[in-house]
């Protein structure tokens, strides 16, 4: 039997959307914010020689810088004010969330609810400033080490670069928070989505151009398109897949009447962590290679040069670390967003129980057991979706925007945003039904 929410969702129509004024305001705000972000990716950093920088970037675009450029929406290619993107914030979030698991003071803050979450978010902002400043300074030094990239190298260029790039990152962090609170969807994910989606048309055109010039065969291009469509279908299927645990509620007596016990379901997503593991893993691999990509490799120690080469996009070490980090963050982020003990306590408080499982601690253990098993499947799925197309990209020279990570982010963020839009429409329709029932009740009372 369909739930009330599913019945409301099936009755949604265009007229429901037309009446949802708050939803339309949120959509317009989100589009305007993303437009501001896209404009910022075209404002160049002052003090650079554009022609020399464009030539230097083209020589390294197929490596780690190309991946970093994909996440920044092309800002690295133009060395715009948003060249650092949102990655320092994501890296700071990873560090803070890891520390909440090992530092008792932060773990206690996490349990304090909304107030504790605000304090943890403030620590994340401080970490963003620190990481962003270090990365921006490293980029400034790396640009100065290049031949003719900077018009007037020196202390003033370094200071202005750090202020500009760090200011761009902090603005994007603020913009993402505004989208989350006043718009639709997760602001940080939507900013990354907008950057990747903006590069998809040029990536497709570049692939077709490679086919026209004979660099890629027509059969290989068709195979890539088929694989991309298959990956998208797998992503849609898995992201919507759920493991539903049957929940029963006992019979209850109100006065002289006995009410039959209700049944419900506890939905556990097959991929509870969503797209976060891929973003986290990519950001950690990009962090040490950001400066090295611009710096003159002859000035680096031999061991640093070897590490930079091994972490190049498509290299075996890069793929191995990428797969390991994705699997780790799949389990880590699932443990953060879903607590089996809290869920079991809430079920026990409301009288619900899983048939055959004793309420309380045994229920928490059972939910954790089921969640661990499906997270294994989710982690394998994430590794497969992200690694297999990346191998194809690195072997054929197809643009990075058509890789597995980019497709996963685009499809997942699209599904989440559509789900939030549908949730707003259901809430709008539900409020309308309540108002109608109240009006009917008032007329009958008269």
């Amino acid at each position: 039997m369909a739930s009330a929410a599913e019945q409301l969702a099936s009755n949604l129509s265009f007229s429901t959307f037309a009446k949802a004024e708050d939803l339309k305001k949120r959509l317009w705000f989100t589009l305007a914010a993303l437009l501001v972000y896209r404009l910022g990716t075209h404002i160049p950093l002052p003090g650079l020689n554009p022609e020399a920088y464009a030539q230097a970037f083209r020589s390294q675009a197929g490596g780690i810088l190309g991946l970093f450029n994909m996440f920044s929406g092309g800002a690295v290619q133009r060395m715009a004010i948003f060249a650092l993107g949102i990655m320092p914030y994501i890296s700071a979030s990873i560090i803070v969330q890891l520390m909440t698991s090992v530092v008792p003071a932060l773990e206690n803050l996490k349990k304090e609810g909304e107030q504790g979450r605000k304090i943890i978010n403030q620590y994340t902002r401080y970490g963003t400033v620190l990481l962003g400043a270090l990365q921006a300074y490293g980029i400034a030094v790396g640009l100065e080490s290049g031949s003719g990239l900077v018009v007037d190298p020196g202390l003033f260029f370094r200071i202005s670069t750090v202020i500009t790039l760090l200011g761009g990152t902090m603005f994007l962090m603020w913009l993402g928070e505004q989208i989350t609170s006043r718009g639709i969807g997760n602001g940080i994910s939507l900013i990354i989505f907008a950057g990747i989606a903006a590069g998809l048309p040029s990536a497709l055109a570049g692939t077709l151009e490679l086919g026209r010039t004979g660099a890629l065969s027509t059969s290989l291009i068709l195979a890539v398109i088929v694989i991309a469509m298959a990956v998208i279908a797998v992503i849609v299927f898995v992201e919507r897949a759920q493991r539903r645990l049957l929940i029963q509620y006992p019979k209850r007596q109100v006065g002289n009447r006995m009410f039959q016990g209700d049944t419900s379901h506890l939905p556990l997503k097959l991929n509870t962590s969503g797209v976060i593991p891929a973003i986290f893993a990519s950001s950690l691999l990009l962090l040490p290679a950001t400066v090295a990509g611009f710096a003159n490799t002859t000035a680096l120690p031999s061991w640093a040069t070897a590490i930079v080469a091994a972490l190049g996009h498509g290299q075996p070490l890069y793929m191995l670390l990428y797969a390991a980090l994705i699997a780790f963050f799949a389990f880590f982020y699932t443990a953060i967003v879903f607590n089996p003990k809290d869920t079991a306590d809430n079920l026990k408080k409301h009288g619900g129980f899983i048939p055959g499982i004793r309420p309380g601690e045994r229920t928490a253990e059972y939910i954790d057991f089921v969640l661990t098993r499906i997270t294994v499947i989710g982690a394998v799925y994430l590794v497969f979706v992200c690694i297999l197309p990346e191998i194809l990209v690195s072997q054929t020279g197809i643009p990075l925007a058509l890789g597995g990570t980019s497709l996963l982010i685009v499809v997942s963020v699209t599904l989440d945003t559509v789900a939030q839009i549908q949730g707003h429409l259901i809430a709008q329709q539900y409020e309308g039904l309540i108002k109608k029932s109240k009006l009917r009740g008032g007329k009958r009372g008269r």
Side-chain angles (χ1 to χ4, degrees), residues 99-147:
M99 291 179 65
T100 56
S101 302
V102 296
V103 179
L106 290 177
E107 189 175 1
N108 293 332
L109 280 176
K110 183 181 176 182
K111 296 178 181 178
E112 291 181 3
E114 183 66 20
Q115 187 62 31
R117 188 182 63 83
K118 289 181 179 179
I119 298 175
I120 292 177
N121 286 343
Q122 196 63 27
Y123 290 155
T124 304
R125 295 187 184 100
Y126 294 150
T128 303
V129 173
L130 179 61
L131 290 177
L134 290 175
Q135 287 184 262
Y137 184 79
I139 288 176
V141 174
L143 289 172
E144 285 186 338
S145 66
S147 177

Side-chain angles (χ1 to χ4, degrees), residues 331-382:
F331 283 92
F332 175 75
Y333 197 74
T334 298
I336 290 177
V337 300
F338 192 95
N339 190 326
K341 188 176 184 304
D342 292 344
T343 303
D345 290 342
N346 289 331
L347 288 175
K348 185 177 180 180
K349 186 185 302 182
H350 293 88
F353 64 94
I354 299 175
I357 307 297
R358 185 177 301 173
E361 186 176 348
R362 292 300 299 264
T363 298
E365 293 176 356
Y366 177 75
I367 294 175
D368 183 62
F369 171 73
V370 175
L371 188 63
T372 302
R373 288 197 304 173
I374 64 175
T375 303
V376 170
I377 300 175
V380 172
Y381 143 76
L382 287 174

Side-chain angles (χ1 to χ4, degrees), residues 63-293:
I64 200 75
L65 289 183
L67 187 62
F68 195 78
N69 183 60
M70 180 188 73
F71 282 112
S72 66
V76 173
Q77 181 180 359
R78 295 179 285 269
M79 191 44 66
I81 59 175
F82 289 162
L84 274 183
I86 204 68
M87 288 304 170
Y89 176 76
I90 295 175
S91 301
S93 299
I94 297 171
I95 295 172
V96 171
Q97 289 180 3
L98 286 172
M99 291 179 65
T100 56
S101 302
V102 296
V103 179
L106 290 177
E107 189 175 1
N108 293 332
L109 280 176
K110 183 181 176 182
K111 296 178 181 178
E112 291 181 3
E114 183 66 20
Q115 187 62 31
R117 188 182 63 83
K118 289 181 179 179
I119 298 175
I120 292 177
N121 286 343
Q122 196 63 27
Y123 290 155
T124 304
R125 295 187 184 100
Y126 294 150
T128 303
V129 173
L130 179 61
L131 290 177
L134 290 175
Q135 287 184 262
Y137 184 79
I139 288 176
V141 174
L143 289 172
E144 285 186 338
S145 66
S147 177
L149 297 182
V150 180
V151 177
D152 187 17
L155 181 62
F156 179 76
F157 172 77
R158 296 183 184 182
I159 294 175
S160 64
T161 299
V162 170
I163 293 175
T164 303
L165 294 180
L166 180 59
T169 295
M170 298 306 294
F171 176 79
L172 287 182
M173 181 184 69
W174 174 84
L175 191 65
E177 292 176 350
Q178 294 302 308
I179 293 174
T180 301
S181 60
R182 301 174 60 185
I184 286 290
N186 183 284
I188 302 301
S189 298
L190 279 173
I191 287 175
I192 298 175
F193 163 83
I196 296 175
L200 287 177
S202 60
L204 184 59
T207 303
L208 296 178
E209 180 64 19
L210 291 174
R212 189 186 67 83
T213 58
L216 293 176
S217 64
T218 303
S219 59
L220 180 60
I221 294 178
L222 291 176
V224 169
I225 294 176
V226 171
I227 292 174
M229 297 299 293
V231 168
I232 291 174
V234 170
I235 293 172
V236 173
F237 175 79
V238 176
E239 291 299 324
R240 295 175 66 91
Q242 293 179 347
R243 168 73 160 89
R244 293 189 173 188
L245 299 181
L246 180 64
I247 305 296
Q248 287 188 348
Y249 293 91
K251 297 179 181 180
R252 56 193 179 93
Q253 185 173 359
V254 180
N256 295 326
R257 298 185 61 184
M258 179 67 71
F259 289 88
Q260 184 68 27
D262 295 330
T263 60
S264 181
H265 290 90
L266 176 64
L268 300 177
K269 289 189 63 177
L270 193 61
N271 179 29
T272 308
S273 57
V275 72
I276 296 298
I279 297 177
F280 278 12
S282 299
S283 63
L284 281 187
L285 288 176
L286 288 171
L287 185 61
T290 303
V291 179

